[in-house]
Amino acid sequence: MHASLLQIGPDEGESVDSRRTRVASLVREQAGVDLVVLPELWTTGAFAYESFDAEAEPLEGPTYEVMAAAARDAGVWLHAGSIPERDADGHLYNTSLVFSPTGELAAAYRKIHRFGFDKGEAVLMSPGEDLVTVRLPETTLGLATCYDLRFPELFRGLVDAGAETLVIPAGWPERRRGHWSLLARARAVENQAFVVACGSAGAHAGVPQAGFSVVVDPWGEVVGELAHAEEGVLRVRIDPERVGVTREQFPALKDRRLR
C-alpha cells in the first residue's frame, strides 16, 4: 500500500478558492498511490481563528465537491484533511472528510478534542462525539485530528473498533515539534498500529508550523519523514501485514486490564 502525505500551507496572497484548485491538482498528481492525506484546516489555517466563521461551509460544500472530484480523477482514497464545517443549526466543527476512489464520501470525523483552552478553536468550534473508522481494502483507518494526538484513550477506542492505521492531519505549531514527533511514535508503539501524521507547512496566522509529516510503523520505527516545515510530498510504502505480525509476535494488547 502506497501513501502520499501532502504537507501544504496557506499562502497569504492566495484565496481559498485558488487554494482548493491548487491542492486538487496536487491530489491528481498522486494517481497510482492508494492513500493521499492532507493537513488540518488547510483551507483557512489552523490558527486563523478569525476566518473560521467566514470560511465555514456545509459538509457537502465547495471543498467537498472539489476534493470528491480530485479523489475520483486520481482514483485514490483521499483523506482531505479538515474543514471548518457549519451544520444546519449553525454550529461549527473541525471536520475531516475521507473520499473513496470513486469520489464517494466514505467518512466524516468531527474533531473531539479542541485546542485553545479558553480561546480559539476551543470556544469557536463544537466538539465531535463519535469515533470514526474507515475500511480500506488493505487496512482499517482510525481518524483523529491534531490535538487529539495528546489523548491516548481516543486511540485505544479506535483500536478496539478495528483500526490498524491511525491517520492524523494537523496544524501543529513549530514550538512544540518535539511533542509531535514523540507522540506520533508513542501512539504507534502503544497501539501497535501505523501512524500516518500529516503536518502543515509555512505559518498559520503568524504561527510557524512544525511540518515534519511522518509515518511510523507498529514497532515505532519511522518509515518516512519530511524533515522540514516547507511544502512537500512524503511518499511511503506501508505494509499493512506488519500490524498483525507485530501484534502476534509481541501481544501486549492482549494483556490490557483496564478498559
Side-chain angles (χ1 to χ4, degrees), residues 66-138:
V66 172
M67 291 296 106
R72 182 175 62 251
D73 292 346
V76 299
W77 286 91
L78 172 62
H79 187 309
S82 70
I83 61 169
E85 177 207 355
R86 177 178 284 109
D87 72 5
D89 296 321
H91 298 115
L92 299 185
Y93 296 92
N94 186 341
T95 302
S96 294
L97 306 174
V98 179
F99 296 95
S100 76
T102 60
E104 300 297 321
L105 182 67
Y109 165 67
R110 288 171 169 170
K111 185 179 180 182
I112 292 173
H113 300 98
R114 302 154 300 155
F115 179 71
F117 308 111
D118 60 352
K119 60 184 179 181
E121 182 188 29
V123 297
L124 296 172
M125 301 283 201
S126 297
E129 300 291 341
D130 300 321
L131 299 180
V132 178
T133 61
V134 187
R135 181 62 197 171
L136 273 59
E138 301 92 345

Side-chain angles (χ1 to χ4, degrees), residues 135-178:
R135 181 62 197 171
L136 273 59
E138 301 92 345
T139 187
T140 296
L141 306 183
L143 306 187
T145 305
C146 200
Y147 190 47
D148 283 335
L149 188 60
R150 292 186 179 275
F151 299 89
E153 60 273 17
L154 182 151
F155 295 90
R156 282 294 201 228
L158 290 171
V159 168
D160 285 343
E164 300 162 321
T165 300
L166 306 168
V167 183
I168 308 157
W172 200 278
E174 191 279 333
R175 62 181 173 270
R176 290 186 288 276
R177 181 173 62 80

Side-chain angles (χ1 to χ4, degrees), residues 8 23 37 40 66 74-75 93-94 100 112-114 119 123 147-148 182 185 204 207 212-213 226 229 233 235 238:
I8 58 172
V23 172
V37 184
E40 176 189 27
V66 172
Y93 296 92
N94 186 341
S100 76
I112 292 173
H113 300 98
R114 302 154 300 155
K119 60 184 179 181
V123 297
Y147 190 47
D148 283 335
L182 172 66
R185 293 189 67 190
H204 290 189
V207 178
F212 273 73
S213 295
L226 287 181
V233 178
R235 295 185 176 93
I238 294 171

